[in-house]
Amino acid sequence: MPTSRLRDVAERAGVSIRTVSNVVNGYAPVAEKTRLRVEAAVAELGYRPNLLARNLKRGRSGVLALVVPELDVPYFAELARAVIMQARARGYTVVIDQTDGEPGREREMVMEGSRGALFDGVILSPLSLSQAELAERDSRVPLVLLGERIADGGFDHVAIDNVLAARQATEHLFSLGRRRVAALGDQPYETGETAQLRTRGYRLAHEAAGRPVDESLIVARPRFHRSDGAEAMRDLLRHPDGPPDAVFCYNDLLALGALRTLLSQGFRVPDDVAVIGFDDIEDGRYHTPSLSTVAPDKHQIAQLAVERLVARLDDSDDSPSELWAAHRLEARESTMGFTAARNPAP
Amino acid sequence: MPTSRLRDVAERAGVSIRTVSNVVNGYAPVAEKTRLRVEAAVAELGYRPNLLARNLKRGRSGVLALVVPELDVPYFAELARAVIMQARARGYTVVIDQTDGEPGREREMVMEGSRGALFDGVILSPLSLSQAELAERDSRVPLVLLGERIADGGFDHVAIDNVLAARQATEHLFSLGRRRVAALGDQPYETGETAQLRTRGYRLAHEAAGRPVDESLIVARPRFHRSDGAEAMRDLLRHPDGPPDAVFCYNDLLALGALRTLLSQGFRVPDDVAVIGFDDIEDGRYHTPSLSTVAPDKHQIAQLAVERLVARLDDSDDSPSELWAAHRLEARESTMGFTAARNPAP
DNA sequence: TACACTGTATGCAACGTTGCAAGAGAGTAG
DNA sequence: CTACTCTCTTGCAACGTTGCATACAGTGTA
């Protein structure tokens, strides 16, 4: 069965191509009788508009690109899900590209513009592209930055208040009586803005509590996978002053890795060492102990990003805006301990 | 900077549109001198081909669709990653659609054909579409079925040997001296073919060992999330004959849920109850105890699927084939226990 | 000198759709 | 009966690209 075109439907219904187009798109006024005839023909032939042609004509593709480092990192998977839902609600399709942190791919997707009109806008969670590089972008295609970057005003930008969130996480640990709180995941270089914000929050918490920061408890990691957390925790356990009594990890994967190291070496969590993460991935809830974490409102992040992007498609000379999504602290067993006899499963 | 077209480049280089096209595509023989001039013009104008137009003309979009139930289910996220990589290696882009198990969306993506030529082929991990429904599909667009379905020969189909894998998992538990092995995740209805295959393997293992199957230990679940596993495990713990001494879960999420229930109720894993899952999601490796599982070769699954699909794009009247991917058993702490004093983290 | 060739370059039409502006009827008012 | 309006319908051109067929030099050969 060869795909039928507008022309075939027109022939069958005995009307002009244009009229069929009008019916299909609900554009111009069409007489009831004609409409029914056309609709019948559409149904009989199983006509489906060729979106390629439509988009070419309209100059829009109806496709948004979501560019993330790795799709199998739960945070990005959960975010992707939310973005897809938001986009769908507005009639857009989403293509997802993974950059694997390769600057080349990230640049290709974002800088080279539009992949030839294949998508109308880009939502980017940057990993390797620096602000400086981004600034050179010739913005044929609207771009919304996701995740957290120090704003330079050049782009639309959706983020949570990382400084505050990190401060709250640290203060949560303080409030439980922890004295030596390690920070795991600092990235003291150009593309590590998010991590730096969290470190700032960590420092602020110390300052507010009148405690000095032990610089040797701030551990840098270029990547945030479980294995990195496990490894970093092993290092921390060899600290000359002994293990810290709490660890604030800059994402949940690091925290789960750290958890694994602690438990497998016989440490009790949280009794010996309390652990808190960041991102609130679903998995953390099912570990034992369940993982305390900072929970960014992913749904809201996706909503703000897609909304902003779609708005920009219609109205490109609006000035870039800074959008803030909510977050909250989820205190679970890895900091609070096991209540009562035993916790019921969630 | 308005996007430049073939025509603009042609004007600038002082040649015909057609020649520019030839240069860009490397088609016809072009004189060295001309080529250089055109390439210079392309560079100066920052020309990028409009893929929409190209695809319209060529009748191909260069896009494959991957349709999965939920992107934030780690198995699908990991699979999606592999598919994207395989597709990229062959010059294709992937759009991902989540169906959320809604039959409507699944049908729309798969049945209604091509979303108007927006993609050339579909890789589907079916959830709610039955074989019967699929059979009615008018196959304008090639379809490869992913995940495991009882084959009816109508479609290309990539799977692992679920019966064997399930049997091996069960026998693994037997070999550790477990007597009462529960099976968690049966789906005794039309769209639950995969689960049924696993149940068959579970039964075969019993048969081969000369043990009767206790039907009350086969627990059905319509969904395979962590919460389902946790809940099902709670039920199992109330079994009139007492808890089983091992549980074979039909995916890792169920297993992690079960693990959570067991640990939070004070059971020791594997000492009291051994747990094995299915899928080998990364997360299982970092739980404590780490999760034993059946590991399908996701990379191979993705490769076979994309290869097959791409091949079909060129040569549509090849007969449907059944492709088998490898799997292996990953025995970890949730069945084997903690070796030595304490395991090092992975 | 005429002919066939080779190597380059081009014009036209088409892919399937929609924007635009105008056309065709029918109805109403003068 | 004419002029006008209103409702519905349509033809033409274009979106940016590529397939096809052809044109055009220039070169070598008969």
Side-chain angles (χ1 to χ4, degrees):
Chain A
M1 174 185 302
T3 316
S4 51
R5 299 150 301 162
L6 226 36
R7 178 156 73 204
D8 304 318
V9 179
E11 240 164 58
R12 175 140 195 151
V15 295
S16 77
I17 293 183
R18 196 57 252 235
T19 298
V20 179
S21 173
N22 284 338
V23 171
V24 170
N25 292 288
Y27 276 175
V30 176
E32 184 69 6
K33 216 171 88 181
T34 317
R35 221 199 62 230
L36 290 175
R37 206 144 36 99
V38 170
E39 280 170 352
V42 164
E44 285 166 30
L45 295 176
Y47 168 78
R48 309 230 78 208
N50 181 321
L51 298 192
L52 240 39
R54 172 181 291 175
N55 293 338
L56 172 60
K57 184 62 187 160
R58 288 191 179 159
R60 290 250 181 118
S61 70
V63 176
L64 306 181
L66 173 65
V67 183
V68 295
E70 288 164 296
L71 198 49
D72 52 353
V73 167
Y75 176 74
F76 292 120
E78 293 178 14
L79 196 63
R81 180 199 178 96
V83 167
I84 290 178
M85 287 175 59
Q86 289 292 333
R88 182 187 302 162
R90 290 171 181 75
Y92 284 86
T93 305
V94 176
V95 321
I96 298 180
D97 251 272
Q98 314 178 97
T99 62
D100 295 314
E102 290 172 32
R105 279 203 61 73
E106 197 161 316
R107 189 170 301 111
E108 183 194 336
M109 287 295 293
V110 177
M111 308 291 285
E112 311 246 307
S114 94
R115 196 51 130 325
L118 260 193
F119 38 79
D120 297 335
V122 179
I123 298 176
L124 167 69
S125 185
L127 191 65
S128 55
L129 279 182
S130 70
Q131 291 285 331
E133 282 181 292
L134 275 171
E136 288 175 8
R137 176 167 184 276
D138 66 334
S139 53
R140 252 174 284 194
V141 172
L143 170 69
V144 172
L145 284 179
L146 256 205
E148 309 82 2
R149 274 286 171 107
I150 294 164
D152 69 345
F155 296 97
D156 289 314
H157 186 265
V158 179
I160 66 166
D161 186 338
N162 273 284
V163 177
L164 177 60
R167 177 173 170 169
Q168 291 168 330
T170 311
E171 286 175 343
H172 170 63
L173 295 169
F174 285 165
S175 77
L176 297 168
R178 308 290 164 158
R179 313 289 308 178
R180 296 181 60 234
V181 176
L184 206 171
D186 191 32
Q187 300 185 324
Y189 40 80
E190 197 186 11
T191 55
E193 286 95 338
T194 301
Q196 290 163 31
L197 292 176
R198 295 184 186 167
T199 301
R200 193 184 305 165
Y202 168 84
R203 290 182 189 281
L204 278 180
H206 282 76
E207 210 171 286
R211 305 188 189 184
V213 171
D214 178 349
E215 297 293 336
S216 69
L217 288 180
I218 300 180
V219 181
R221 286 290 138 168
R223 304 220 121 203
F224 281 14
H225 292 166
R226 294 179 177 92
S227 54
D228 303 305
E231 187 188 80
M233 194 67 228
R234 279 196 290 272
D235 292 349
L236 269 174
L237 290 179
R238 287 191 227 99
H239 193 282
D241 303 339
D245 57 8
V247 188
F248 165 36
C249 300
Y250 288 9
N251 85 353
D252 279 354
L253 292 187
L254 287 174
L256 294 178
L259 210 55
R260 171 74 193 169
T261 293
L262 286 166
L263 296 176
S264 68
Q265 306 222 0
F267 288 87
R268 288 166 308 157
V269 177
D271 308 58
D272 300 325
V273 184
V275 176
I276 188 168
F278 208 112
D279 284 349
D280 188 30
I281 64 177
E282 153 123 359
D283 191 44
R285 254 168 277 179
Y286 282 83
H287 273 257
T288 306
S290 57
L291 184 65
S292 296
T293 192
V294 174
D297 187 335
K298 300 185 196 86
H299 191 267
Q300 193 186 11
I301 292 176
Q303 180 186 335
L304 290 172
V306 173
E307 254 176 27
R308 190 76 199 105
L309 193 53
V310 170
R312 204 164 265 299
L313 295 182
D314 299 323
D315 169 22
S316 70
D317 36 39
D318 199 2
S319 70
S321 58
E322 191 82 5
L323 302 166
W324 298 98
H327 70 269
R328 65 177 196 290
L329 191 82
E330 285 284 343
R332 305 207 184 99
E333 294 162 359
S334 69
T335 57
M336 305 295 284
F338 300 86
T339 58
R342 270 302 189 166
N343 262 357
Chain B
M1 172 186 303
T3 315
S4 51
R5 299 150 302 161
L6 226 35
R7 178 156 74 204
D8 303 316
V9 179
E11 238 164 61
R12 176 142 195 150
V15 295
S16 76
I17 292 182
R18 196 56 252 234
T19 299
V20 179
S21 172
N22 285 337
V23 170
V24 170
N25 293 289
Y27 276 176
V30 176
E32 184 69 6
K33 217 172 85 181
T34 318
R35 219 199 65 230
L36 291 175
R37 208 143 35 98
V38 171
E39 280 170 353
V42 164
E44 285 166 30
L45 295 177
Y47 167 78
R48 308 228 80 206
N50 181 321
L51 298 192
L52 240 39
R54 171 181 291 176
N55 293 338
L56 173 60
K57 184 61 187 159
R58 288 190 179 161
R60 289 251 180 117
S61 70
V63 177
L64 306 180
L66 173 65
V67 183
V68 294
E70 288 163 296
L71 199 48
D72 53 352
V73 167
Y75 176 74
F76 292 120
E78 294 179 13
L79 196 62
R81 181 201 177 96
V83 167
I84 290 177
M85 288 175 60
Q86 289 292 333
R88 182 188 300 162
R90 291 171 180 74
Y92 285 86
T93 306
V94 177
V95 321
I96 297 180
D97 250 272
Q98 313 178 97
T99 62
D100 296 314
E102 289 171 33
R105 278 204 63 73
E106 198 162 313
R107 190 170 301 112
E108 183 194 336
M109 288 293 294
V110 177
M111 309 290 286
E112 312 246 305
S114 95
R115 218 336 172 355
L118 259 195
F119 37 79
D120 298 336
V122 178
I123 299 177
L124 166 69
S125 186
L127 191 65
S128 55
L129 279 182
S130 69
Q131 290 284 332
E133 280 181 293
L134 276 172
E136 288 175 9
R137 177 168 183 274
D138 67 335
S139 52
R140 253 174 284 195
V141 172
L143 170 70
V144 172
L145 285 179
L146 256 204
E148 309 82 1
R149 273 289 171 106
I150 294 165
D152 69 345
F155 296 96
D156 289 313
H157 186 265
V158 180
I160 65 166
D161 186 338
N162 273 285
V163 177
L164 177 60
R167 177 173 169 169
Q168 291 168 331
T170 310
E171 286 174 345
H172 170 62
L173 296 170
F174 285 164
S175 77
L176 298 169
R178 308 291 164 158
R179 314 287 311 177
R180 295 182 59 234
V181 176
L184 206 171
D186 191 32
Q187 300 187 324
Y189 40 81
E190 197 185 13
T191 57
E193 287 95 338
T194 300
Q196 290 163 31
L197 292 176
R198 294 184 186 168
T199 300
R200 193 184 307 167
Y202 169 83
R203 289 183 191 280
L204 278 179
H206 281 76
E207 210 170 289
R211 303 188 191 184
V213 171
D214 178 350
E215 297 294 335
S216 69
L217 288 180
I218 300 180
V219 181
R221 283 293 136 167
R223 304 221 121 203
F224 280 14
H225 291 167
R226 293 179 178 90
S227 56
D228 303 305
E231 187 188 81
M233 193 69 228
R234 280 195 289 272
D235 292 348
L236 269 174
L237 290 179
R238 287 191 227 101
H239 193 283
D241 304 338
D245 57 8
V247 188
F248 166 36
C249 300
Y250 288 9
N251 85 351
D252 279 356
L253 292 187
L254 287 173
L256 294 178
L259 210 55
R260 172 72 192 168
T261 293
L262 286 167
L263 296 175
S264 69
Q265 305 222 359
F267 288 87
R268 288 165 307 157
V269 177
D271 310 57
D272 300 325
V273 184
V275 176
I276 188 167
F278 207 111
D279 284 350
D280 188 30
I281 64 177
E282 152 123 0
D283 192 43
R285 254 168 277 180
Y286 282 82
H287 272 257
T288 306
S290 57
L291 184 65
S292 297
T293 192
V294 173
D297 188 334
K298 300 186 196 84
H299 190 268
Q300 192 186 10
I301 292 175
Q303 181 187 334
L304 289 172
V306 173
E307 255 176 25
R308 191 76 200 102
L309 192 54
V310 170
R312 205 163 266 298
L313 295 182
D314 299 323
D315 170 21
S316 71
D317 36 39
D318 199 2
S319 69
S321 59
E322 191 81 7
L323 301 167
W324 298 98
H327 71 269
R328 65 177 196 290
L329 191 82
E330 284 284 343
R332 304 206 185 98
E333 294 163 358
S334 70
T335 56
M336 306 294 284
F338 300 86
T339 59
R342 269 302 187 169
N343 262 358

